[in-house]
Amino acid sequence: MARLSLKGDWAVVTGASTGIGRELARQLSAQGAKLIVVARRRPALEELAQSLPTQCEVVDADLSNEQGLARLFAVVEERGLKVAHVINNAGFGSVGRFAEMAEVDLVGQIQLNCVALTRVTRHFLPQMLARGRGGLMQVSSVVSYVPTPFMAAYSATKAYVTSLCMAMGPELKGTGVHCTALCPGPVATGFQERARYEISAMERGNQLPVQEVARQAIEGYLRRKPVVVPGARNSLMCWMSRHVPEGFASSVARTVMLRAGRDKPLPRLGT
Ligand SMILES: NC(=O)c1ccc[n+]([C@@H]2O[C@H](COP(=O)([O-])OP(=O)(O)OC[C@H]3O[C@@H](n4cnc5c(N)ncnc54)[C@H](OP(=O)(O)O)[C@@H]3O)[C@@H](O)[C@H]2O)c1
């Protein structure tokens, strides 16, 4: 199948103010896509928009609530933008023992990583299907393959994302619309500060620069791959987790997470 072209298409990128989303936006724009960038921090989005070579609309919205979602949908509707690509990237995680985790963090992860992603997908998909063209990039994680102790809720939200995308792919067959799950391993972004941990020495070995993660993500998306796991080590880890006895990968993850101190989150700094 021919590689997709992004030239002149509108793409929504959620969580574009920093990290992976910002880099995806930058590279999508470099390939000719016009962007609708979404996050809570408007100044960071405006700075990004000004640096891009293509048209870029800024929407500051908290996607974890109804008003934020409605705001995104209204802006796209009012400006008559025909969205061809949706990059559902906004997300966050929290570390610690489930029983000790603040309910706002537990529910917040489900609200943003699962509910917002589902709502945004459901909103834009019918328009893409009607035009017979488009795609969804659902940003998941390698932890979607391993139920991960001390990040239990986060890994469960990402299992939802990968599973949803893997199920939707065959459902969309023949429609001209496809779905790619992006499953990055560790990437140094604002993610760690919000999740309240520091990248461990072991994770540093698997870490890829954000530019490389975005490059592989977009290349896989344009080739309509169902799943993209950037980095050979991360791919191997995902493959192995599916070929070991049930529970084994989570038991190894427990040891690794305890060694990295993930049962004790660092003091809260930011949002
Ligand atoms: N970094 C990693 O190691 C890693 C690994 C695997 C998967 N991922 C996934 O990659 C995605 C991007 O994470 P990242 O590493 O780039 O982290 P990041 O630097 O913290 O970026 C998260 C983005 O999401 C936005 N966001 C957070 N809460 C939001 C809300 N309520 N409404 C709208 N936007 C919101 C943030 O912008 P505002 O704060 O301005 O709203 C920011 O632009 C996430 O889905 C994450 O789970 C990350």
Side-chain angles (χ1 to χ4, degrees), residues 95-119:
V95 301
R97 293 180 185 273
F98 185 91
E100 293 166 7
M101 213 172 264
E103 275 190 39
V104 66
D105 288 335
L106 283 173
V107 176
Q109 290 173 76
I110 298 168
Q111 206 60 42
L112 184 64
N113 303 358
C114 301
V115 177
L117 175 141
T118 305
R119 295 283 315 280

Short mmCIF file of all heavy atoms in Angstrom, two decimals, residues 95-119:
data_model
loop_
_atom_site.label_atom_id
_atom_site.label_comp_id
_atom_site.label_asym_id
_atom_site.label_seq_id
_atom_site.Cartn_x
_atom_site.Cartn_y
_atom_site.Cartn_z
N VAL A 95 3.10 7.37 39.52
CA VAL A 95 3.69 6.19 40.14
C VAL A 95 3.28 6.12 41.62
O VAL A 95 2.87 7.12 42.20
CB VAL A 95 5.24 6.17 40.03
CG1 VAL A 95 5.69 6.19 38.58
CG2 VAL A 95 5.88 7.29 40.84
N GLY A 96 3.43 4.93 42.18
CA GLY A 96 3.13 4.74 43.60
C GLY A 96 2.24 3.53 43.80
O GLY A 96 1.84 2.88 42.84
N ARG A 97 1.97 3.27 45.09
CA ARG A 97 1.09 2.15 45.42
C ARG A 97 -0.35 2.57 45.15
O ARG A 97 -0.75 3.67 45.54
CB ARG A 97 1.25 1.75 46.89
CG ARG A 97 2.60 1.16 47.17
CD ARG A 97 2.78 0.76 48.62
NE ARG A 97 4.15 0.31 48.82
CZ ARG A 97 4.56 -0.94 48.63
NH1 ARG A 97 3.70 -1.87 48.28
NH2 ARG A 97 5.83 -1.27 48.81
N PHE A 98 -1.09 1.69 44.49
CA PHE A 98 -2.47 2.00 44.10
C PHE A 98 -3.27 2.52 45.30
O PHE A 98 -3.98 3.52 45.21
CB PHE A 98 -3.13 0.75 43.51
CG PHE A 98 -4.51 1.00 42.98
CD1 PHE A 98 -4.71 1.36 41.65
CD2 PHE A 98 -5.63 0.87 43.80
CE1 PHE A 98 -5.99 1.61 41.15
CE2 PHE A 98 -6.91 1.11 43.32
CZ PHE A 98 -7.09 1.48 41.99
N ALA A 99 -3.13 1.83 46.44
CA ALA A 99 -3.95 2.17 47.61
C ALA A 99 -3.62 3.54 48.18
O ALA A 99 -4.40 4.12 48.93
CB ALA A 99 -3.78 1.11 48.68
N GLU A 100 -2.41 4.04 47.84
CA GLU A 100 -1.98 5.33 48.40
C GLU A 100 -2.11 6.47 47.39
O GLU A 100 -1.85 7.63 47.72
CB GLU A 100 -0.52 5.22 48.86
CG GLU A 100 -0.37 4.28 50.05
CD GLU A 100 1.09 3.89 50.30
OE1 GLU A 100 1.99 4.44 49.65
OE2 GLU A 100 1.29 3.00 51.15
N MET A 101 -2.48 6.14 46.16
CA MET A 101 -2.51 7.15 45.11
C MET A 101 -3.75 8.06 45.29
O MET A 101 -4.82 7.56 45.63
CB MET A 101 -2.57 6.44 43.77
CG MET A 101 -1.85 7.18 42.68
SD MET A 101 -1.75 6.18 41.21
CE MET A 101 -0.13 5.48 41.38
N ALA A 102 -3.55 9.35 45.04
CA ALA A 102 -4.69 10.27 45.15
C ALA A 102 -5.75 9.89 44.12
O ALA A 102 -5.42 9.59 42.97
CB ALA A 102 -4.22 11.70 44.90
N GLU A 103 -6.99 9.92 44.55
CA GLU A 103 -8.08 9.55 43.61
C GLU A 103 -8.09 10.45 42.40
O GLU A 103 -8.40 10.02 41.29
CB GLU A 103 -9.43 9.60 44.34
CG GLU A 103 -9.69 8.30 45.07
CD GLU A 103 -11.11 8.22 45.60
OE1 GLU A 103 -12.04 8.67 44.90
OE2 GLU A 103 -11.27 7.72 46.72
N VAL A 104 -7.71 11.71 42.60
CA VAL A 104 -7.72 12.65 41.48
C VAL A 104 -6.72 12.21 40.41
O VAL A 104 -6.96 12.39 39.20
CB VAL A 104 -7.48 14.10 42.00
CG1 VAL A 104 -6.09 14.26 42.57
CG2 VAL A 104 -7.72 15.12 40.93
N ASP A 105 -5.61 11.61 40.82
CA ASP A 105 -4.63 11.11 39.86
C ASP A 105 -5.13 9.84 39.18
O ASP A 105 -4.99 9.68 37.97
CB ASP A 105 -3.29 10.82 40.55
CG ASP A 105 -2.57 12.10 40.94
OD1 ASP A 105 -2.83 13.14 40.30
OD2 ASP A 105 -1.75 12.07 41.87
N LEU A 106 -5.70 8.95 39.97
CA LEU A 106 -6.21 7.68 39.41
C LEU A 106 -7.29 7.96 38.36
O LEU A 106 -7.20 7.51 37.22
CB LEU A 106 -6.81 6.81 40.51
CG LEU A 106 -5.82 6.08 41.42
CD1 LEU A 106 -6.57 5.41 42.57
CD2 LEU A 106 -5.03 5.05 40.64
N VAL A 107 -8.27 8.73 38.77
CA VAL A 107 -9.40 9.01 37.87
C VAL A 107 -8.96 9.91 36.73
O VAL A 107 -9.40 9.75 35.58
CB VAL A 107 -10.58 9.62 38.67
CG1 VAL A 107 -11.72 9.99 37.75
CG2 VAL A 107 -11.05 8.63 39.73
N GLY A 108 -8.05 10.85 37.04
CA GLY A 108 -7.55 11.76 36.01
C GLY A 108 -6.89 11.04 34.86
O GLY A 108 -7.05 11.40 33.70
N GLN A 109 -6.14 9.99 35.18
CA GLN A 109 -5.47 9.21 34.12
C GLN A 109 -6.51 8.54 33.23
O GLN A 109 -6.38 8.53 32.00
CB GLN A 109 -4.57 8.13 34.73
CG GLN A 109 -3.35 8.70 35.42
CD GLN A 109 -2.57 7.60 36.14
OE1 GLN A 109 -1.88 6.82 35.51
NE2 GLN A 109 -2.70 7.53 37.45
N ILE A 110 -7.53 8.00 33.85
CA ILE A 110 -8.59 7.32 33.06
C ILE A 110 -9.30 8.36 32.19
O ILE A 110 -9.57 8.15 31.01
CB ILE A 110 -9.57 6.58 33.99
CG1 ILE A 110 -8.83 5.50 34.78
CG2 ILE A 110 -10.72 5.97 33.18
CD1 ILE A 110 -9.62 4.91 35.93
N GLN A 111 -9.57 9.51 32.81
CA GLN A 111 -10.32 10.58 32.12
C GLN A 111 -9.57 11.08 30.89
O GLN A 111 -10.15 11.23 29.82
CB GLN A 111 -10.52 11.72 33.14
CG GLN A 111 -11.71 12.59 32.89
CD GLN A 111 -13.03 11.85 32.92
OE1 GLN A 111 -13.23 11.00 33.78
NE2 GLN A 111 -13.89 12.14 31.98
N LEU A 112 -8.27 11.33 31.05
CA LEU A 112 -7.50 11.89 29.92
C LEU A 112 -7.04 10.78 28.96
O LEU A 112 -7.26 10.88 27.75
CB LEU A 112 -6.28 12.67 30.46
CG LEU A 112 -5.45 13.38 29.40
CD1 LEU A 112 -6.25 14.47 28.68
CD2 LEU A 112 -4.19 14.00 30.01
N ASN A 113 -6.40 9.74 29.51
CA ASN A 113 -5.78 8.73 28.64
C ASN A 113 -6.82 7.87 27.91
O ASN A 113 -6.55 7.40 26.80
CB ASN A 113 -4.86 7.79 29.45
CG ASN A 113 -3.78 8.53 30.22
OD1 ASN A 113 -3.68 9.75 30.13
ND2 ASN A 113 -2.99 7.82 30.99
N CYS A 114 -7.97 7.66 28.54
CA CYS A 114 -8.99 6.78 27.92
C CYS A 114 -10.21 7.54 27.44
O CYS A 114 -10.58 7.46 26.28
CB CYS A 114 -9.44 5.70 28.91
SG CYS A 114 -8.12 4.65 29.50
N VAL A 115 -10.85 8.29 28.37
CA VAL A 115 -12.14 8.91 28.00
C VAL A 115 -11.93 9.99 26.93
O VAL A 115 -12.61 9.98 25.90
CB VAL A 115 -12.87 9.48 29.24
CG1 VAL A 115 -14.17 10.17 28.83
CG2 VAL A 115 -13.15 8.37 30.24
N ALA A 116 -10.97 10.89 27.16
CA ALA A 116 -10.76 11.98 26.18
C ALA A 116 -10.35 11.39 24.83
O ALA A 116 -10.86 11.80 23.78
CB ALA A 116 -9.70 12.95 26.69
N LEU A 117 -9.45 10.42 24.85
CA LEU A 117 -9.01 9.79 23.59
C LEU A 117 -10.19 9.15 22.86
O LEU A 117 -10.35 9.30 21.64
CB LEU A 117 -7.92 8.75 23.93
CG LEU A 117 -7.37 7.87 22.81
CD1 LEU A 117 -5.87 7.67 22.98
CD2 LEU A 117 -8.06 6.52 22.76
N THR A 118 -11.06 8.52 23.60
CA THR A 118 -12.24 7.87 23.00
C THR A 118 -13.19 8.91 22.43
O THR A 118 -13.71 8.76 21.32
CB THR A 118 -12.96 7.02 24.06
OG1 THR A 118 -12.01 6.12 24.62
CG2 THR A 118 -14.13 6.24 23.48
N ARG A 119 -13.42 9.98 23.20
CA ARG A 119 -14.36 11.02 22.76
C ARG A 119 -13.84 11.73 21.51
O ARG A 119 -14.60 12.01 20.59
CB ARG A 119 -14.57 12.04 23.89
CG ARG A 119 -15.26 11.49 25.15
CD ARG A 119 -16.76 11.31 24.98
NE ARG A 119 -17.40 12.44 24.35
CZ ARG A 119 -17.74 13.58 24.95
NH1 ARG A 119 -17.54 13.73 26.24
NH2 ARG A 119 -18.32 14.56 24.28
#
